[in-house]
């Protein structure tokens, strides 16, 4: 059980604009995953303290049930695309992402993930490729765009490549501090920073320790050095993997760890007073349903109707300047549009 952040002391005026946006994506997080986390944490999460709530439809351009590539691309670009596509439309044309737009406006940008940083969701914010499996191609985009901080796995896609390029060395030549351990990233004082903390994916929780909340807090701290503001996307990748495995314990462990990262984002927003925090999902995984639970023990009983994604709507939570715009029922593409609107871009 972890404590939750008290948000009662901060109430920005309606219509106010944030300087910074932190978007947290619980990959595979539907309402059952969320409520399992609420139960396991004895009745409350950081997420549930956030006052503005909505729901989004997640279908892709060509399927009722989206994958993470199309789901991430919708959130990142405001356009539906086909399953498997990253940062391109249904015809394969490049679509600007919210990260790229923020960078073009002089803001700092960052990505954090518990998967390889080249995996579908983080890739959707920086890369433009027809296939989510093109990990080495995706990695090249991190050397060519103005991203300031990224933390995740996927070191092999940068350093043990078929084309012989060593992208970590290329990043170093561009001024990046490139590290292979979270502790080294925590010691960083300036951007740009690349933390490639695993060869491929990062270990599941609790084996990986406090990586996700610490990486979230550190990324926000580093990015806030830019007076113009920043955009940060944080993904709790492995809620999805627990759903694919129909493993309720895996889901709950990852859900609680993701919520601790949300807590770090909310703590930053409370201190900063100019940060919008948005929490959502790309899709639900496992068609999970809760058939029993106990708030006193934190135990839940779950059943799964699938080992894949489902087509159900997923929740949105928001806190901070502009948060009221995220209420209601809408398409996942509107997350991108609402972020642009609150920034006035």
């Amino acid at each position: 059980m972890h404590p939750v952040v008290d948000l009662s002391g901060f109430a920005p005026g309606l219509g106010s604009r944030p300087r910074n946006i932190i978007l947290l994506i619980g990959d595979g997080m539907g309402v059952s995953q969320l409520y399992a986390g609420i139960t396991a944490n004895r009745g409350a999460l950081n997420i549930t303290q956030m006052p503005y709530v909505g729901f989004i439809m997640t279908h892709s351009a060509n399927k009722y049930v989206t994958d993470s590539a199309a789901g991430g691309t919708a959130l990142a670009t405001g356009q539906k695309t086909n399953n498997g596509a990253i940062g391109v439309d249904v015809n394969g044309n490049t679509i600007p992402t919210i990260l790229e737009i923020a960078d073009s406006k002089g803001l700092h940008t960052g990505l954090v993930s518990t998967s390889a940083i080249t995996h579908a969701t983080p890739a959707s914010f920086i890369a433009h490729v027809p296939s989510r499996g093109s990990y080495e191609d995706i990695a090249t985009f991190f050397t060519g765009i103005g991203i300031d901080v990224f933390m995740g796995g996927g070191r092999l896609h940068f350093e043990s490549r078929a084309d012989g390029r060593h992208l970590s060395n290329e990043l170093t030549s561009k001024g990046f501090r490139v590290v292979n351990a979270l502790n080294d990233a925590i010691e960083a004082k300036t951007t740009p920073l690349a933390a490639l903390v695993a060869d491929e994916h990062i270990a599941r929780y609790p084996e990986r320790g406090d990586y996700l909340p610490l990486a979230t807090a550190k990324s926000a701290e580093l990015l806030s050095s830019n007076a113009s503001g920043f955009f940060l996307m944080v993904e709790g990748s492995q809620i999805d993997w627990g759903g694919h495995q129909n493993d309720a314990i895996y889901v709950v462990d990852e859900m609680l760890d993701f919520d601790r990262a949300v807590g770090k984002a909310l703590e930053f927003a409370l201190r900063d007073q100019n940060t919008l925090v948005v929490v959502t999902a790309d899709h639900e995984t496992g068609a999970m349903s809760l058939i029993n639970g106990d708030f006193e023990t934190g135990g839940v009983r779950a059943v799964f109707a699938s080992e894949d994604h489902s087509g159900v709507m997923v929740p949105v939570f928001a806190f901070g300047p502009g948060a009221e715009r995220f209420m209601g029922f809408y398409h996942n593409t509107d997350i991108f549009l609402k972020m642009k609107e609150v920034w006035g871009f």
Side-chain angles (χ1 to χ4, degrees):
M1 180 178 177
H2 61 261
V4 299
V5 178
D6 180 6
L7 301 180
S8 60
F10 180 52
L14 296 180
S16 55
R17 296 191 183 278
R19 180 172 58 235
N20 315 309
I21 295 178
I22 303 176
L23 173 64
L24 298 107
I25 300 173
D27 197 310
M29 183 189 72
V31 293
S32 292
Q33 287 82 356
L34 180 70
Y35 203 65
I38 292 169
T39 306
N41 207 48
R42 313 302 199 272
L45 292 175
N46 289 304
I47 295 171
T48 61
Q49 309 311 297
M50 302 171 73
Y52 296 99
V53 183
F55 285 95
I56 54 174
M57 294 176 280
T58 64
H59 65 85
S60 67
N62 68 331
K63 297 289 184 181
Y64 185 76
V65 178
T66 191
D67 76 335
S68 292
T73 296
L75 296 170
T77 70
Q79 292 192 41
K80 300 274 188 182
T81 193
N82 295 333
N83 282 9
I86 296 285
V88 295
D89 66 17
V90 294
N91 298 311
N93 300 311
T94 293
I95 321 169
T97 73
I98 191 68
L99 184 148
E100 292 170 315
I101 293 168
D103 174 63
S104 72
K105 300 291 186 179
L107 280 63
H108 275 177
T109 63
L111 295 172
V112 173
S113 179
T114 54
S115 68
I117 202 67
T118 50
H119 215 227
T121 303
S124 297
F125 287 82
I126 194 169
H128 307 279
V129 296
S131 172
R132 60 179 291 174
S134 302
Y135 298 122
E136 293 188 4
D137 290 342
I138 290 166
T140 64
F141 285 87
F142 287 84
T143 69
I145 193 171
I147 190 168
D148 299 281
V149 175
F150 61 94
M151 301 192 194
R155 187 185 308 120
L156 292 178
H157 305 145
F158 288 76
E159 298 178 2
S160 298
R161 299 168 51 86
D163 62 7
R165 291 176 66 182
H166 195 290
L167 300 187
S168 292
N169 288 346
E170 293 183 26
L171 287 164
T172 300
S173 71
K174 293 175 180 289
F176 273 80
R177 179 178 180 181
V178 181
V179 300
N180 293 331
L182 179 63
N183 287 341
D184 293 329
I186 296 300
E187 293 175 359
K189 303 298 183 185
T190 60
T191 63
L193 173 70
L196 297 169
V197 301
D199 283 344
E200 293 194 29
H201 301 307
I202 302 171
R204 63 183 283 183
Y205 188 84
E207 182 182 345
R208 66 172 176 265
D210 291 332
Y211 160 81
L212 188 60
L214 291 175
T216 300
K218 186 62 182 183
S219 295
E221 172 197 325
L222 290 172
L223 295 172
S224 66
S225 63
N226 184 355
S228 296
F230 68 80
F231 171 78
L232 172 63
M233 191 287 292
V234 176
E235 183 198 23
S237 318
Q238 298 187 40
I239 302 168
D240 172 67
W241 302 355
H244 281 298
Q245 295 182 26
N246 289 181
D247 185 336
I249 293 174
Y250 195 172
V251 168
V252 168
D253 282 347
E254 293 295 332
M255 190 67 235
L256 293 178
D257 188 51
F258 178 64
D259 189 65
R260 284 186 281 267
V262 173
K264 293 298 184 183
L266 292 173
E267 288 172 357
F268 177 89
L270 281 171
R271 292 193 304 270
D272 176 73
Q273 302 280 300
N274 287 294
T275 298
L276 169 66
V277 180
V278 179
V279 178
T280 191
D282 50 355
H283 54 72
E284 191 274 346
T285 304
M288 180 180 177
S289 181
L290 302 183
I291 58 173
N292 206 350
D294 189 323
F295 288 113
E296 291 188 5
T297 66
V300 297
R301 285 185 60 203
V303 294
F304 298 85
S306 172
E307 294 180 350
D308 208 337
H309 305 165
S310 75
V312 300
M313 60 186 180
V314 297
V316 182
F317 299 84
F319 170 78
E324 71 280 357
R325 295 173 185 249
F326 291 81
M327 293 190 297
F329 180 64
Y330 46 93
H331 284 279
N332 51 4
T333 50
D334 287 341
I335 296 287
F336 166 87
L337 298 174
K338 291 174 185 294
M339 290 190 292
K340 282 186 64 183
E341 287 171 2
V342 297
W343 262 331
F345 292 169

